[in-house]
Amino acid sequence: MHTSYQYPTSHALFARAQAHIPGGVNSPVRAFKSVGGQPVFMQRALGAYLYDADGNRYLDYINSWGPMILGHGHPEVVAAIQQQAAQALSFGAPTEAEILMAELVKSLVPNVELLRLVSSGTEACLSALRVARGYTGRNKLIKFTGCYHGHADPFLVKAGSGVATFGIQHVPGVTASTAADTLTADYNNLAQVAQLLADHPEQVAAIIIEPVAGNMGCVPPEPGFLAGLRQLCDQHGAVLIFDEVMTGFRLAPGGAQERLGIQADLLTFGKVIGGGLPVGAFGGKRAIMEQVAPLGSVYQAGTLSGNPVAVAAGYTTLRLLQQSPSIYQQLDQVGHQLREGLHQVLRQKGVAHTINQVGSMISVHFGEHRVTDFATAAACDIPLFNRLFHHLLGRGVYLPPSAYESWFLSTALTPAHIDQTLEAVASF
Ligand code: HOZ
């Protein structure tokens, strides 16, 4: 394990990037703004490792923010992409591969009766919301503080991920009338949700939630919380949307729904469903999804939706997951080893901490208290996390550059990799 890295090429690239790209990055959290310093520019990746433009090597705990559940450069996924690329890159016309993908998703997530492919999680969530509104004829939406559902206007109210990382209270460009339709409650606070529904009778089209939150660090639902939301939606005629962009195909073949035993009306997917290429999807109950054009009149479209190369990557990834269900036990074991090891190392160092882990999603929060919602996540020692981030970066361990992001594990991480990581933490 290296002890310290230098980044002359990355720094030169960042200087160049800033002349042409807002903040030098194409997605804000990548800029290292909250952890300080300058971003590392990546060049290639294989298995559990990333290699930067300066030739430094890192154990990857981001895995492209979730998609690379099988690690980088899985030979079967790469072969499927190459094979499809040699056939055609894009048609803008239907293909059999899209049917195979829909059939596969439906077999993994049985309450998906109809599925529409899109190109990102953002698109999936904004489309699901539109469908829920079209189906119910209602405008309002309930979301949870610290949850992130992509960057469509209605979801940017009290959002997690980069919005929380940068402490943005109000996103300019989101109109007041749009924001007024978004009602917010604290994660794990069922009473607040019940109150919002009572205060806005027959106005709430949908409740959207990350069933295991990953955009304020990893925050699991408390026992009974999701079941309570299910019940409230049924009582009030609102559509329950599980945003499984992070959790889908990651926490179990059937995602958080399967792992936690609660069913939503609509599901949104991204990340793993694309296997590293841009694929998102939304689907669910037939009666709701029948609103989607051209079957119904809730309009939604996309030139690259169902793109054959992206679908080849996603389909192959999902097939590999389906064929080897033991992958999920392996990921749980690696997650468990990391959590227990971190507990031990941090306890020995006398550092107060909380670790939230659900399967291959995990995060370390520095503080005495449990982390169950955004307020408790925000009350943690963020500067300490930032110091740990840089300590590990310089020793070949790449964490998300924000305390408000979950770490994602891949099957390429071995027990030996975890031991190396713990050694690096021990030297903090
Ligand atoms: N929205 C992602 C984290 N929750 C970040 C995506 C990226 O920067 O690539």
Side-chain angles (χ1 to χ4, degrees):
M1 182 74 59
H2 303 259
T3 50
S4 193
Y5 284 178
Q6 303 293 317
Y7 314 99
T9 311
S10 275
H11 290 176
L13 290 172
F14 190 46
R16 254 175 77 202
Q18 287 175 89
H20 309 292
I21 301 169
V25 289
N26 282 312
S27 191
V29 184
R30 299 178 194 176
F32 278 28
K33 234 175 144 177
S34 71
V35 290
Q38 299 189 26
V40 174
F41 279 60
M42 293 302 171
Q43 211 165 51
R44 64 192 179 89
L46 192 62
Y49 288 105
L50 302 172
Y51 299 83
D52 74 14
D54 289 288
N56 301 310
R57 189 179 78 162
Y58 306 88
L59 278 173
D60 189 6
Y61 284 93
I62 304 186
N63 281 294
S64 186
W65 306 91
M68 312 313 297
I69 191 168
L70 300 173
H72 294 277
H74 191 288
E76 286 184 51
V77 178
V78 173
I81 293 169
Q82 286 169 336
Q83 214 176 342
Q84 179 53 49
Q87 295 282 320
L89 297 182
S90 186
F91 300 109
T95 61
E96 186 183 1
E98 293 160 83
I99 308 171
L100 291 171
M101 181 71 142
E103 287 171 345
L104 178 55
V105 170
K106 286 176 63 171
S107 72
L108 295 169
V109 191
N111 62 330
V112 169
E113 293 173 329
L114 288 173
L115 182 81
R116 170 62 60 85
L117 295 183
V118 293
S119 298
S120 69
T122 287
E123 257 190 279
C125 291
L126 76 87
S127 306
L129 174 60
R130 185 179 303 137
V131 176
R133 283 173 163 164
Y135 176 72
T136 57
R138 302 173 179 179
N139 291 340
K140 295 211 182 290
L141 149 81
I142 295 177
K143 76 174 282 289
F144 295 89
T145 302
C147 280
Y148 179 76
H149 306 288
H151 63 88
D153 289 1
F155 300 126
L156 289 177
V157 179
K158 296 194 184 169
S161 189
V163 181
T165 298
F166 299 131
I168 298 172
Q169 300 298 323
H170 165 71
V171 178
V174 174
T175 64
S177 59
T178 295
D181 278 334
T182 302
L183 310 172
T184 56
D186 295 330
Y187 201 84
N188 279 321
N189 192 327
L190 206 52
Q192 282 184 4
V193 179
Q195 191 60 54
L196 287 173
L197 288 163
D199 290 347
H200 300 86
E202 293 184 19
Q203 294 172 57
V204 175
I207 297 178
I208 188 167
I209 186 159
E210 295 174 72
V212 173
N215 285 288
M216 45 180 150
C218 176
V219 178
E222 300 275 55
F225 177 56
L226 296 178
L229 293 181
R230 177 68 276 171
Q231 217 171 14
L232 285 171
C233 280
D234 292 342
Q235 265 168 25
H236 292 267
V239 174
L240 181 59
I241 306 173
F242 277 3
D243 173 347
E244 293 235 34
V245 169
M246 285 182 167
T247 52
F249 316 105
R250 173 167 280 283
L251 296 186
Q257 279 199 134
E258 179 182 333
R259 190 166 181 127
L260 304 172
I262 305 291
Q263 297 216 329
D265 301 308
L266 286 181
L267 286 307
T268 63
F269 302 106
K271 301 192 189 283
V272 172
I273 197 173
L277 291 193
V279 180
F282 63 100
K285 284 188 177 158
R286 180 174 294 277
I288 304 176
M289 288 299 291
E290 278 176 346
Q291 306 298 312
V292 178
L295 210 48
S297 46
V298 175
Y299 200 74
Q300 186 281 325
T303 299
L304 291 172
S305 293
N307 172 268
V309 182
V311 167
Y315 179 78
T316 308
T317 300
L318 296 191
R319 279 288 286 164
L320 287 163
L321 292 169
Q322 185 189 40
Q323 284 161 359
S324 310
S326 63
I327 278 178
Y328 292 96
Q329 281 149 25
Q330 183 193 338
L331 287 168
D332 281 7
Q333 277 163 12
V334 170
H336 185 260
Q337 186 195 350
L338 181 62
R339 185 188 70 206
E340 290 310 305
L342 285 168
H343 270 317
Q344 206 181 346
V345 171
L346 292 171
R347 268 191 217 120
Q348 273 165 6
K349 300 181 83 61
V351 177
H353 65 277
T354 290
I355 302 176
N356 286 339
Q357 178 237 340
V358 182
S360 56
M361 292 172 68
I362 181 166
S363 54
V364 178
H365 301 269
F366 291 115
E368 304 278 355
H369 54 280
R370 288 178 73 227
V371 174
T372 55
D373 59 11
F374 183 71
T376 46
C380 292
D381 188 343
I382 308 279
L384 186 58
F385 174 86
N386 296 346
R387 287 208 299 282
L388 177 70
F389 170 84
H390 279 292
H391 178 84
L392 294 184
L393 188 73
R395 285 160 182 78
V397 177
Y398 194 70
L399 299 184
S402 164
Y404 292 118
E405 300 283 356
S406 177
W407 313 2
F408 293 103
L409 310 180
S410 79
T411 55
L413 279 168
T414 63
H417 290 141
I418 303 296
D419 285 342
Q420 283 171 34
T421 305
L422 296 173
E423 258 176 57
V425 176
S427 67
F428 177 47

